[in-house]
Amino acid sequence: MGVTEHISKQFEEDLDSTRTRVLQMGGLVEAQILAATDAYMTGNAELIEQVIENDRRVNGYEVAIDGACSHIVVKRQPAASDLRLIMGISKIVTDLERSGDEAEKIARMARAIHEHGGQHAQRFPAVRHAAQVAVKMLREALDAFARLDAVAAAEVLKEDAAIDQEFRSVLRQLITYMMEDPRTITPALEIVWVAKAIERIGDHAKNIAEQVIYIVKGTDVRHTSFADIEREIAKG
């Protein structure tokens, strides 16, 4: 094996290893969101502490992957599509870390909500449904990243409107709840924070999908209409 071929092989192994770690981090974040949602519904104290403690693992992944990306850039000096991949990974990891922060926030809010009584969380099953939509978006965005599939990534962008609608629906229900009984204002506001955290997770999933399109197509589609994104992807 020639020196050039060896370097190229090592470069590919570095990229594959980094992509694998991103997907592992994504799997952990997804588990965090699901656990935090369960904690919100049940008030399970052990689950709440588990989510809060595991946020350190999410942060650890971010630091390790950022370090790996910096190492690849300095040592391999990637160009064109490989450089886009590294830049995209760096931004995806940031969105995953922030999604993990939102999961931790949900867990902390769950503890506060259940101190007021679990019946408040049970009254708003739409919150769980919104979380399911957000997790689905995140899972599909990560799957699109794993396959570097711009078409699948574009489908994730379509779902952003659905989670925004879920948030507005929950907000309307909570306003009515507070107006009917002012004693519920404190737990209702805490539920608003949970719903907002879920909406932000959906936003981060959308950001990840946009980065996948950037990696594959070389086009920054942030702040771009969906019709224009579809035209860009259709160029082949």
Side-chain angles (χ1 to χ4, degrees):
M1 180 185 291
V3 174
T4 303
E5 186 180 352
H6 174 77
I7 292 173
S8 177
K9 185 173 185 295
Q10 184 61 51
F11 180 42
E12 289 301 319
E13 288 176 357
D14 288 346
L15 284 177
D16 287 345
S17 173
T18 303
R19 285 176 63 184
T20 297
R21 288 164 98 176
V22 172
L23 294 171
Q24 289 171 342
M25 180 182 183
L28 173 58
V29 170
E30 182 182 331
Q32 284 281 89
I33 298 165
L34 291 171
T37 305
D38 283 345
Y40 160 75
M41 294 300 296
T42 64
N44 185 315
E46 186 176 336
L47 205 53
I48 289 168
E49 292 306 319
Q50 177 185 311
V51 172
I52 293 170
E53 181 63 28
N54 276 345
D55 189 57
R56 295 182 185 179
R57 291 180 57 203
V58 175
N59 294 342
Y61 267 111
E62 181 191 28
V63 172
I65 294 169
D66 276 344
C69 287
S70 297
H71 175 80
I72 291 172
V73 168
V74 171
K75 191 171 182 180
R76 307 296 179 191
Q77 297 181 344
S81 61
D82 289 332
L83 181 59
R84 289 204 308 270
L85 176 60
I86 294 300
M87 291 173 64
I89 283 174
S90 182
K91 291 181 179 179
I92 286 169
V93 165
T94 297
D95 278 298
L96 285 175
E97 191 276 333
R98 289 176 180 169
S99 295
D101 286 345
E102 298 300 338
E104 183 191 17
K105 187 184 298 178
I106 292 168
R108 292 185 184 278
M109 286 296 101
R111 181 162 57 196
I113 290 163
H114 282 271
E115 285 174 358
H116 297 290
Q119 76 277 7
H120 300 292
Q122 298 295 334
R123 283 186 63 120
F124 301 98
V127 174
R128 178 189 280 275
H129 185 258
Q132 290 169 343
V133 174
V135 168
K136 180 173 179 285
M137 286 178 67
L138 181 62
R139 186 180 299 136
E140 290 173 350
L142 289 167
D143 184 58
F145 169 72
R147 296 183 287 113
L148 294 181
D149 186 337
V151 174
E155 289 298 312
V156 176
L157 303 185
K158 284 183 181 178
E159 297 179 49
D160 186 55
I163 199 162
D164 289 343
Q165 186 175 342
E166 291 283 347
F167 174 70
R168 287 192 294 270
S169 174
V170 170
L171 200 56
R172 285 193 298 270
Q173 292 174 33
L174 285 164
I175 290 170
T176 301
Y177 190 50
M178 287 185 282
M179 289 175 65
E180 289 176 349
D181 184 355
R183 292 173 299 177
T184 65
I185 288 175
T186 297
L189 288 175
E190 287 161 349
I191 294 171
V192 169
W193 283 112
V194 170
K196 188 62 182 175
I198 291 167
E199 184 200 29
R200 285 178 177 150
I201 290 167
D203 289 340
H204 291 307
K206 177 187 174 185
N207 293 347
I208 292 169
E210 288 174 342
Q211 287 304 316
V212 173
I213 295 171
Y214 168 73
I215 291 167
V216 176
K217 306 297 293 185
T219 303
D220 188 342
V221 297
R222 292 175 298 176
H223 316 299
T224 304
S225 72
F226 188 74
D228 288 342
I229 292 171
E230 285 189 312
R231 279 192 289 273
E232 180 63 32
I233 291 172
K235 288 179 182 178

